[in-house]
């Protein structure tokens, strides 16, 4: 009889849990951590419009940005019972500076050791490729031919690619554009002989011009994560809290579905 009763209770619990997949949302949230997480009572989220994989640009027909990071931000707000304020920037560098100035609570940015001095990262949620582009008449055919004395690589200032190439490039020269969106325009106006950046951004910008080609492959893989300021008293708990959400959104298919909805190609959900 006891075994029958025990089995019945177990089956009942499994049924209840199956009907409440968001049961984790009902767990008590650490109030001290939440006060540090969103001190104004609103979750202020930095959105990088300079990376088309992460967010779409704003125009009169689309007054609000849209994209994977917006979907994730709103889901974090829902789970945290916080209103969300989306604050758009044209470059990752500007977002990082705003976070350091305590104007933002979370940002979506590439994991980088230099930024890591001030930013605590969750696990990556998306992997993006960094690529090179040259003019059709360029003698450069492969990545091995880029880091050569005399070559000039145009890259968005303070972007993940700028930080990476600053460490890795030994012989070529880096020429920095104002932001990632300016790279191809600067390149076509005569600046440098190689353009570097997000593969999708370069491909999209190249459609506005003729006689450009991408070098095959990639020069780096960018791991995009959520960043929080280390200046917050509870930043370690905040990072752990957000890391749990990120992992759930990856395993549940939320991020993959968001990428599909927004037509994102050439990137994948991080492992």
């Amino acid at each position: 009889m006891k075994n029958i009763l025990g089995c019945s209770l177990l089956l009942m619990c499994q049924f209840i849990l199956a009907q409440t997949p968001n049961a984790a949302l009902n767990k008590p949230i650490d109030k001290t951590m939440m006060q540090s997480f969103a001190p104004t009572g609103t979750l202020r989220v930095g959105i990088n419009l300079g990376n088309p994989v992460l967010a779409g640009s704003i125009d009169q027909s689309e007054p609000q940005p849209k994209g994977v990071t917006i979907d994730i931000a709103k889901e974090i707000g829902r789970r945290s019972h916080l209103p969300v304020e989306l604050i758009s920037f044209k470059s990752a560098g500007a977002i990082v500076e705003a976070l350091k100035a305590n104007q933002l609570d979370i940002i979506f940015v590439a994991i980088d050791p230099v930024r890591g001095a001030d930013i605590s990262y969750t696990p990556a949620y998306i992997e993006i490729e960094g690529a090179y582009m040259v003019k059709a008449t360029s003698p450069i055919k492969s990545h091995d031919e880029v880091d050569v004395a005399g070559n000039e690589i145009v890259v968005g200032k303070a972007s993940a690619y700028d930080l990476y190439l600053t460490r890795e490039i030994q012989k070529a020269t880096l020429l920095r554009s104002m932001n990632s969106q300016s790279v191809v325009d600067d390149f076509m106006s005569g600046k440098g002989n190689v353009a570097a950046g997000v593969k999708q951004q370069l491909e999209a910008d190249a459609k506005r011009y003729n006689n450009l080609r991408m070098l095959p492959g990639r020069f780096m893989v960018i791991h995009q994560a959520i960043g929080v300021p280390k200046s917050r008293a509870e930043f370690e708990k905040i990072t752990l809290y957000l890391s749990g959400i990120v992992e759930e959104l990856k395993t549940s298919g939320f991020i993959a579905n968001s990428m599909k909805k927004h037509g994102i190609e050439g990137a994948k959900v991080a492992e």
Side-chain angles (χ1 to χ4, degrees):
M1 185 69 179
K2 289 183 179 179
N3 288 338
I4 294 174
L5 180 60
C7 290
S8 297
L9 289 172
L10 178 60
L11 289 172
M12 184 179 294
C13 289
Q14 290 175 336
F15 175 79
I16 292 171
L17 288 173
Q19 300 304 309
T20 56
N22 291 326
L25 299 181
N26 298 320
K27 291 182 179 180
I29 297 177
D30 186 327
K31 291 184 178 179
T32 302
M33 183 270 288
M34 292 304 294
Q35 288 173 353
S36 181
F37 180 37
T40 66
T42 295
L43 185 61
R44 301 169 298 173
V45 183
I47 300 298
N48 180 13
L49 297 180
N51 187 331
V53 175
L54 306 183
S57 60
I58 300 175
D59 55 38
Q60 291 182 350
S61 63
E62 290 285 350
Q64 292 295 321
K66 59 181 180 179
V68 176
T69 53
I70 286 81
D71 292 347
I72 296 173
K74 290 180 177 178
E75 180 64 12
I76 292 172
R78 185 180 75 84
R79 293 179 179 226
S80 305
H81 310 293
L82 289 169
V84 174
E85 180 184 6
L86 303 176
I87 304 173
S88 299
F89 295 80
K90 292 185 177 181
S91 70
I95 284 181
V96 170
E97 291 306 311
L99 185 78
K100 289 163 63 175
N102 201 34
Q103 297 169 359
L104 300 170
D105 302 312
I106 65 172
I107 61 176
F108 295 88
V109 69
I111 296 174
D112 185 88
V114 174
R115 293 173 179 165
D118 302 293
I119 299 174
S120 179
Y121 299 107
T122 66
Y125 62 91
I126 281 181
E127 294 180 1
I128 302 173
E129 295 181 342
Y132 290 128
M133 184 172 69
V134 297
K135 294 178 181 176
T137 56
S138 172
I140 300 174
K141 304 296 183 183
S142 69
H143 289 186
D144 294 339
E145 300 172 64
V146 172
D147 190 11
V148 174
N151 283 342
E152 295 179 327
I153 306 169
V154 186
V155 64
K157 183 179 179 180
S159 65
Y161 323 100
D162 180 13
L163 298 176
Y164 175 83
L165 293 173
T166 297
R167 293 191 298 271
E168 298 297 323
I169 293 297
Q170 302 295 318
K171 298 177 182 178
T173 301
L174 296 180
L175 303 179
R176 294 171 176 86
S177 294
M178 182 174 61
N179 50 47
S180 295
Q181 302 100 308
S182 306
V183 168
V184 174
D185 289 335
D186 287 348
F187 179 61
M188 292 305 294
S189 69
K191 189 174 184 177
N193 64 325
V194 179
V198 180
K199 184 176 182 180
Q200 290 83 353
Q201 178 81 58
L202 294 177
E203 290 175 335
D205 287 344
K207 293 178 181 179
R208 298 186 284 110
Y209 296 98
N210 296 318
N211 302 317
L212 290 171
R213 60 180 169 82
M214 303 292 296
L215 294 186
R218 64 197 185 196
F219 67 81
M220 71 177 294
V221 174
I222 303 99
H223 296 92
Q224 290 285 339
I226 298 175
V228 300
K230 286 185 175 180
S231 58
R232 300 287 170 88
E234 300 284 316
F235 82 87
E236 292 178 335
K237 288 184 178 179
I238 296 169
T239 305
L240 184 62
Y241 170 69
L242 291 174
S243 296
I245 294 177
V246 167
E247 293 298 344
E248 287 181 22
L249 296 184
K250 289 195 293 186
T251 57
S252 69
F254 180 98
I255 294 175
N257 290 335
S258 178
M259 293 172 66
K260 183 177 180 180
K261 178 178 70 175
H262 296 292
I264 302 303
E265 299 179 356
K268 69 174 186 176
V269 178
E271 297 178 357

